[in-house]
Every structure is written in structure tokens, then in C-alpha cells.
Amino acid sequence: RKEVEQDPGPFNVPEGATVAFNCTYSNSASQSFFWYRQDCRKEPKLLMSVYSSGNEDGRFTAQLNRASQYISLLIRDSKLSDSATYLCVVTPGTALIFGKGTTLSVSS
Amino acid sequence: NAGVMQNPRHLVRRRGQEARLRCSPVKGHSHVYWYRQLPEEGLKFMVYLQKENIIDESGMPKERFSAEFPKEGPSILRIQQVVRGDSAAYFCASSGQGNEAFFGQGTRLTVV
């Protein structure tokens, strides 16, 4: 089993849609979790940290399920500008381990 | 507040030459990570360094690749005797006491 797995997509949704991404991780000792966003050929940028109790930032909601070892990202009211690749990040030890990313394409 | 600075942004090397990629972390950050991204693929962890120490190099090829993060100056990723398969984007990230990492804009290496 890969350390961090994500559905690669692409997810093609219309503006205003709600879309959810899941990510599973293999190392139960993982301590920190993040979602990053990467636009085409650019550097990844931190979108949000993921806390055990779940957290929300505007249209974005992140949740962690330690028992099932997955994290999720929910995007409400999708905008064209949300089109990007979303990367799940887990820290099982010393390094940040990235999933391959899920591609989202929002169309008008 | 300068972010992570990588240079050069683009680097062209002939097969067999050496490539040196530099990364200056966010001021005050003592943790540096290097990642490689091949075209159409995800980010692959290469190495994690703290000042003067390599903490985890499990993602780095055993031959031709080396990394350092000296007490003074930027972190350096060095690739000796480059081959075409080394062509990729190399991203550096830094973090402080928290685990949130911030990325530089990357160095795009092309081997011809």
C-alpha cells in the first residue's frame, strides 16, 4: 500500500458545485496533515492544515478520520479559480509525504 | 518577508555535466526539504535536512545525487554527471518549528 493515496481524477464540475476529495494514508503514526494546492507547473501552496476536530476556512472544510486513516477536503460553491491539483500531505516521521494529487477542473 | 528562494529558475545542462541547485529557506527556518517532480507526475520526496545534518535521504538516488545545508548559506542539491532522465522540476521547501512547509518556485532542469 502506498504511503499516501489520492484519486487522481480529474474531477470536472460546474461553477457552484460542491466537490469532495479523499486521501488515505498507511502510517498510523502520522501526526500532521495538510492540503496543498498546485497550479500548473508552479510550486505547491499550503491551502490548510487538517486538525483532528475538523476545520473550516471559508468554502473549504477539512476533516481527519484517524481510525480509518483518511483525510478529506470539501469545496463548496466551486469557482473557476479553484481549478488546480490538490495535494494531500502527511507526516509519518521526519518528512512531508505528498500524494500524487487530485485534479479539479471547474467550468462555467 | 522573503519566502523560499530557489535559483536558478531554469538550468540547462549537457549530459555528463554537473547541476547545482540552490535553496535559501525562509528566514528563521531550519528545516529544508527537496522534492522532484517529473512531467505529468506527482512530487517525490528526495531529502530532508536540518542545519548541517541530513535527517532523511530515503528518497534520494544513491549515486550522483547529494545534498547539503551548511551552517551558513543556502542548501545545495548537487547532481553529478546528469542524464536525460534527471530533467524535472526540483522544488525546495522550508519549515520552522511547526510542520507547515513553504515552497520555492522551483528549478527546472533540462538535460540536453
Side-chain angles (χ1 to χ4, degrees):
Chain A
R1 181 180 177 183
K2 293 181 183 175
E3 287 193 87
V4 181
E5 290 199 69
Q6 293 183 251
D7 181 345
F11 284 60
N12 299 305
V13 303
E15 277 187 287
T18 295
V19 61
F21 307 138
N22 286 330
C23 166
T24 59
Y25 60 94
S26 60
N27 192 323
S28 59
S30 298
Q31 293 296 319
S32 301
F33 309 88
F34 307 93
W35 284 101
Y36 278 73
R37 169 190 170 137
Q38 186 176 28
D39 293 280
C40 185
R41 296 180 65 78
K42 294 189 175 180
E43 76 274 23
K45 293 188 176 177
L46 178 66
L47 181 65
M48 59 197 302
S49 302
V50 186
Y51 302 120
S52 296
S53 56
N55 48 301
E56 188 175 306
D57 183 1
R59 297 181 294 109
F60 298 84
T61 300
Q63 291 193 313
L64 168 64
N65 185 319
R66 285 191 184 273
S68 300
Q69 293 181 208
Y70 79 82
I71 67 174
S72 64
L73 177 68
L74 182 77
I75 305 175
R76 292 181 298 278
D77 189 23
S78 299
K79 312 289 185 192
L80 293 174
S81 58
D82 292 334
S83 297
T85 297
Y86 291 82
L87 303 165
C88 166
V89 182
V90 174
T91 56
T94 53
L96 297 169
I97 304 298
F98 283 75
K100 288 193 173 182
T102 298
T103 300
L104 172 65
S105 178
V106 182
S107 56
S108 57
Chain B
N1 183 19
V4 178
M5 304 299 292
Q6 288 189 249
N7 67 83
R9 293 285 304 280
H10 300 275
L11 182 62
V12 179
R13 284 287 178 266
R14 295 185 185 281
R15 281 178 294 170
Q17 291 185 318
E18 178 179 287
R20 277 181 180 247
L21 288 61
R22 285 175 291 278
C23 169
S24 296
V26 172
K27 189 175 181 180
H29 282 186
S30 59
H31 306 256
V32 165
Y33 308 83
W34 284 94
Y35 292 83
R36 175 165 66 175
Q37 189 168 35
L38 295 168
E40 309 304 322
E41 294 197 9
L43 284 161
K44 292 284 176 59
F45 167 75
M46 297 183 75
V47 62
Y48 164 44
L49 310 102
Q50 291 183 19
K51 280 289 186 182
E52 301 184 271
N53 292 306
I54 295 175
I55 306 301
D56 182 348
E57 57 181 346
S58 59
M60 196 131 81
K62 294 288 185 286
E63 297 178 354
R64 303 188 299 109
F65 286 73
S66 63
E68 62 176 11
F69 188 18
K71 188 176 180 181
E72 301 291 339
S75 175
I76 305 287
L77 179 68
R78 182 180 177 207
I79 311 172
Q80 295 177 291
Q81 299 174 330
V82 295
V83 301
R84 287 221 171 104
D86 296 332
S87 295
Y90 291 83
F91 289 100
C92 167
S94 75
S95 67
Q97 291 303 317
N99 281 332
E100 296 172 350
F102 299 91
F103 280 80
Q105 292 181 303
T107 293
R108 279 154 183 81
L109 172 66
T110 302
V111 179
V112 298

